[in-house]
Amino acid sequence: MKAMTFEGPGQKSWSTVPDPKIQDPQDAIVRIDAVTICGTDLHILKGDVPEVTSGRILGHEAVGTVVEVGQSVSEVAVDDRVLVSCISGCGRCAYCRRGMYGQCLRGGGWVLGHLIDGVQAEYARIPFADHGLHKLPSSVSNEQALLLADILPTSYEVGVRNGRVEPGDVVAIVGAGPIGLAAALTARLYSPRTVVIIDPAESRLKRAREDFGADITIDPTTDDAQSVIHELTDGLGADVTIEAVGIPETFEQCVDLVRPGGHVANVGVHGKPATLHLESIWIKNLTITTGLVDTYSTPTLLRLLAEGRINTGGFVTHRFELDDFAKAYDVFSDAAGNDAVKVALSHG
Ligand SMILES: [Zn+2]
Ligand SMILES: [Zn+2]
């Protein structure tokens, strides 16, 4: 089969590799019907994730059709159309039993396209298939379901739920990439008073207002986010701030913008230390959370999507044939320049 492989920092290849085979009775083999590229894949390609070794098939966000199941798989069967979750879970270890599948101790967690071969391929082996695959109702398209593989549960669990968004809150989201936009969309489920998004790319701010329910957008190169938030909250600060970039400056900005007693929810993937100004925040009763998605919310989000309660129509901006990974990576690598949010690759 063909697959997109990591070939060392800065190098990737759409090449012929052996077909995946069942290795464990809990595995399933899935034919990939739709797949996308994540910001994390770009980090891997830069060489930021040293656990990913040369030859590894990339990708952890896909939708497909089950073509083979191991002996102990019981929840999915051949020909089922399924969402492939970015997180696998054994279901039995100490963390899985707490619903923290992202921290699975027995070969689960984020493994696809990381520690084992991923889904940017014609076929993929999915471990713990009963847990990591979700059967799709006919009312949800492949393209809609693709957004449930990672970005919607990540932004919802690690941003909105960890941030404890409540009705009437002012929620400030720093970063209007796919995760920030998904946080705006899923924060709406809790009826916040105002959703503010801060990002320097005007095209993304426009999308945030038009397609993702942001009430106020701020370009930090021309506007002062602090004074906008203060005006909006009678000087208190935001109830919840959500970090969706992953650099020290934006994390520190989230801590600056939150009110005493508020929540700072970090979603961004950080590569460098950020400064925590305890000398000024020790007195502010803040809650700061971090996290990797567990995907405990995926069944709920899938139901909301099937019933039209979440509109994901604004996410996929560029569509490609499944074998056109080179072009799709080119577009996504310069997402701001190409006005791209998510790219989707599928069979014509
Ligand atoms: Zn991802
Ligand atoms: Zn586990």
Side-chain angles (χ1 to χ4, degrees):
M1 69 163 184
K2 297 283 245 176
M4 179 55 93
T5 55
F6 173 68
E7 299 295 342
Q11 293 183 56
K12 59 186 184 325
S13 161
W14 176 249
S15 48
T16 302
V17 300
D19 286 355
K21 291 193 169 57
I22 299 277
Q23 295 176 13
D24 178 280
Q26 301 173 85
D27 288 350
I29 305 295
V30 171
R31 184 191 75 218
I32 302 302
D33 297 325
V35 55
T36 182
I37 304 169
C38 180
T40 308
D41 298 321
L42 302 182
H43 278 293
I44 293 171
L45 278 172
K46 272 195 226 150
D48 291 348
V49 188
E51 297 78 19
V52 180
T53 49
S54 197
R56 175 69 66 231
I57 299 171
L58 294 166
H60 55 265
E61 302 181 28
V63 171
T65 306
V66 176
V67 294
E68 193 182 348
V69 294
Q71 279 172 359
S72 49
V73 172
S74 58
E75 298 299 312
V76 293
V78 170
D79 289 338
D80 280 349
R81 192 169 66 101
V82 291
L83 163 69
V84 181
S85 174
C86 66
I87 298 293
S88 314
C90 76
R92 298 181 180 125
C93 74
Y95 288 123
C96 282
R97 293 180 69 143
R98 292 172 197 206
M100 294 172 65
Y101 312 111
Q103 308 294 330
C104 175
L105 295 166
R106 295 195 198 155
W110 172 44
V111 294
L112 287 170
H114 178 207
L115 307 178
I116 67 170
D117 283 334
V119 297
Q120 290 174 5
E122 291 178 307
Y123 294 89
R125 178 182 74 88
I126 308 301
F128 308 117
D130 280 340
H131 183 269
L133 297 178
H134 299 260
K135 262 194 268 191
L136 291 171
S138 57
S139 58
V140 173
S141 71
N142 286 355
E143 193 172 292
Q144 286 176 310
L146 208 45
L147 305 162
L148 287 182
D150 179 353
I151 63 167
L152 280 174
T154 295
S155 56
Y156 179 64
E157 293 177 16
V158 186
V160 175
R161 302 261 308 167
N162 282 0
R164 303 270 166 104
V165 174
E166 288 186 12
D169 277 356
V170 171
V171 180
I173 299 164
V174 181
I179 290 288
L181 295 171
L185 198 68
T186 52
R188 283 270 159 230
L189 294 167
Y190 288 87
S191 300
R193 172 160 69 91
T194 310
V195 173
V196 181
I197 291 203
I198 302 159
D199 193 285
E202 177 48 40
S203 62
R204 291 197 155 181
L205 296 181
K206 187 163 174 276
R207 282 187 194 286
R209 291 189 299 269
E210 290 175 358
D211 299 328
F212 297 94
D215 301 294
I216 294 176
T217 56
I218 300 172
D219 174 349
T221 60
T222 56
D223 290 311
D224 178 28
Q226 189 93 28
S227 55
V228 175
I229 299 279
H230 271 232
E231 197 169 323
L232 201 61
T233 59
D234 298 326
L236 300 181
D239 299 290
V240 179
T241 56
I242 297 177
E243 202 285 339
V245 181
I247 58 173
E249 294 78 4
T250 48
F251 173 77
E252 290 161 26
Q253 183 177 30
C254 283
V255 177
D256 283 344
L257 294 176
V258 78
R259 68 167 168 80
H263 288 79
V264 178
N266 183 81
V267 193
V269 177
H270 289 261
K272 287 189 193 140
T275 304
L276 191 61
H277 286 285
L278 276 173
E279 75 282 9
S280 55
I281 64 166
W282 69 270
I283 200 169
K284 289 175 79 176
N285 300 30
L286 301 186
T287 302
I288 298 174
T289 54
T290 67
L292 170 70
V293 66
D294 289 313
T295 66
Y296 66 80
S297 70
T298 302
T300 304
L301 292 169
L302 187 54
R303 272 198 299 278
L304 290 169
L305 197 58
E307 286 165 22
R309 293 283 309 279
I310 303 176
N311 180 359
T312 55
F315 280 108
V316 176
T317 54
H318 293 71
R319 295 171 179 83
F320 301 91
E321 287 286 322
L322 194 68
D323 59 1
D324 216 355
F325 265 103
K327 211 185 280 173
Y329 263 97
D330 283 347
V331 166
F332 191 65
S333 303
D334 182 17
N338 290 305
D339 196 13
V341 181
K342 287 295 267 186
V343 302
L345 298 97
S346 59
H347 297 291

Short mmCIF file of all heavy atoms in Angstrom, two decimals, residues 19 104 127 258 301:
data_model
loop_
_atom_site.label_atom_id
_atom_site.label_comp_id
_atom_site.label_asym_id
_atom_site.label_seq_id
_atom_site.Cartn_x
_atom_site.Cartn_y
_atom_site.Cartn_z
N ASP A 19 1.53 -3.82 3.63
CA ASP A 19 0.18 -3.65 4.18
C ASP A 19 0.20 -3.98 5.67
O ASP A 19 0.93 -4.87 6.10
CB ASP A 19 -0.80 -4.62 3.50
CG ASP A 19 -1.14 -4.17 2.09
OD1 ASP A 19 -0.69 -3.07 1.69
OD2 ASP A 19 -1.82 -4.92 1.38
N CYS A 104 -3.03 6.12 29.04
CA CYS A 104 -3.04 4.65 29.12
C CYS A 104 -1.63 4.09 29.32
O CYS A 104 -0.68 4.51 28.67
CB CYS A 104 -3.66 4.06 27.86
SG CYS A 104 -3.60 2.25 27.82
N PRO A 127 -4.97 -0.44 17.16
CA PRO A 127 -4.96 -1.28 18.37
C PRO A 127 -6.19 -1.00 19.22
O PRO A 127 -6.81 0.07 19.08
CB PRO A 127 -3.68 -0.83 19.08
CG PRO A 127 -3.49 0.59 18.67
CD PRO A 127 -4.05 0.71 17.27
N VAL A 258 -6.89 36.60 32.64
CA VAL A 258 -7.93 35.94 33.44
C VAL A 258 -8.20 36.74 34.72
O VAL A 258 -7.30 37.42 35.25
CB VAL A 258 -7.53 34.48 33.74
CG1 VAL A 258 -6.50 34.39 34.85
CG2 VAL A 258 -8.75 33.62 34.04
N LEU A 301 -19.97 14.14 21.62
CA LEU A 301 -19.80 15.06 20.49
C LEU A 301 -20.37 14.46 19.21
O LEU A 301 -20.94 15.16 18.38
CB LEU A 301 -18.31 15.41 20.31
CG LEU A 301 -17.72 16.26 21.44
CD1 LEU A 301 -16.19 16.32 21.33
CD2 LEU A 301 -18.30 17.68 21.43
#
